[in-house]
Every structure is written in structure tokens, then in C-alpha cells.
């Protein structure tokens, strides 16, 4: 978690430095930019602190060790359904839903209708067929 905390600390430092500079350059006429950058800095520091604290509590992972080998991180990463087509249909229906937000509510309704079937199919695909639990 050392790398992740460093990345978010850099984000926090960037927002903390650039926020006031942006305000000075714009003569504080546009207040949303500096406030947004300072809030992003706060968010970056909060996430960096969380990763640092979690890394201290659970210990560092094998990928935090610069002299570590690849086989130290070996192991099971999860249980995934092989050759699943449902994420494709769910992605297509979600694109129709987001298109419906721009075009019209009737397109949104069509995408939501098909999205329910895609979501149910993806959730329950492990309960029948060759890869059933």
C-alpha cells in the first residue's frame, strides 16, 4: 500500500499547491476552481492516509518490496465465471441507458428494460448449466 499512498499524497500536494495559484491568477473572480482543487487535495490526503494506515495495520504486500519476486504474489485472486457473455450485454444496455439521458426518456426506458434482463442473467448465471455451483 506504500505506492498507493504515495500516489494519492502527490494528488493532495498538487491540489494544495495549484489551488491558491489558480486563485491568484484569476484574481479570485472564479471561486469554483480553487475550492475544487483544495477539496481534491483534501480527498487525496484522506485516501493517502487511509492507505498508509491500512498498510501499517496489515503489513506491506509483496508488490511493495522492491527486491521481491513475482512468485511471492502468487495465489488465488478470485472466482470468475469463464466465457461469460453477460457483462457484454450489461455494458451495451448501460450505454443505451446513458444515451437515453441525452436523447430522451423513452430510450432510457428501453435500455433499463433490457438492462434488468442482463443484470439478472449475470447474477444468476452460476446457478445453472456447466459452471453451476
Amino acid at each position: 500500500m506504500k505506492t498507493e499512498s504515495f500516489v494519492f499524497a502527490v494528488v493532495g500536494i498538487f491540489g494544495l499547491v495549484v489551488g491558491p495559484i489558480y486563485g491568484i491568477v484569476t484574481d479570485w473572480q472564479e471561486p469554483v476552481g480553487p475550492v475544487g482543487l483544495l477539496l481534491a487535495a483534501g480527498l487525496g490526503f484522506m485516501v493517502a492516509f487511509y492507505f498508509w494506515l491500512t498498510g501499517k495495520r496489515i503489513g506491506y504486500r509483496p508488490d511493495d518490496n522492491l527486491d521481491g519476486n513475482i512468485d511471492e504474489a502468487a495465489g488465488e485472486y478470485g472466482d470468475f465465471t469463464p466465457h461469460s457473455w453477460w457483462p457484454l450485454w450489461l455494458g451495451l444496455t448501460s450505454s443505451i441507458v446513458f444515451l437515453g439521458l441525452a436523447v430522451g426518456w423513452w430510450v432510457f426506458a428501453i435500455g433499463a428494460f433490457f438492462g434488468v434482463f442482463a443484470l439478472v442473467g449475470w447474477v444468476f448465471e452460476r446457478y445453472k448449466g456447466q459452471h453451476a455451483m
Side-chain angles (χ1 to χ4, degrees), residues 1 9-11 26 28 36 53 59 64 68 70 81 87 97 100 116 119 130:
M1 299 253 174
V10 167
V11 169
T26 61
W28 302 101
L53 197 65
D64 288 331
I70 293 175
T81 305
V97 165
V116 167
L119 185 62
Q130 179 183 3

Side-chain angles (χ1 to χ4, degrees), residues 13-14 16 22 24 34 41 44-45 51 58 61 63 65 70-71 74 82 90 92 102 110 119 126-127:
I13 292 169
F14 175 80
L16 196 64
Y22 185 82
I24 292 169
F45 285 133
F51 281 145
I58 66 172
R61 299 173 300 177
D63 51 337
N65 185 7
I70 293 175
D71 59 349
L90 195 61
L92 289 173
I110 292 171
L119 185 62
R126 296 291 299 264
Y127 290 99

Side-chain angles (χ1 to χ4, degrees), residues 116-129:
V116 167
F117 288 110
L119 185 62
V120 168
W122 193 26
V123 168
F124 291 111
E125 73 179 334
R126 296 291 299 264
Y127 290 99
K128 65 178 186 134

Side-chain angles (χ1 to χ4, degrees), residues 1-78:
M1 299 253 174
K2 193 179 198 180
T3 305
E4 292 91 346
S5 63
F6 176 74
V7 167
F8 281 101
V10 167
V11 169
I13 292 169
F14 175 80
L16 196 64
V17 170
V18 173
I21 292 173
Y22 185 82
I24 292 169
V25 168
T26 61
D27 283 335
W28 302 101
Q29 296 296 319
E30 195 269 312
V32 176
V35 171
L37 285 167
L38 291 175
L39 288 174
L43 182 65
F45 285 133
M46 281 193 317
V47 174
F49 177 71
Y50 171 76
F51 281 145
W52 174 77
L53 197 65
T54 303
K56 252 180 91 167
R57 188 179 40 156
I58 66 172
Y60 289 115
R61 299 173 300 177
D63 51 337
D64 288 331
N65 185 7
L66 294 177
D67 297 326
N69 295 325
I70 293 175
D71 59 349
E72 292 177 9
E76 189 170 323
Y77 284 101

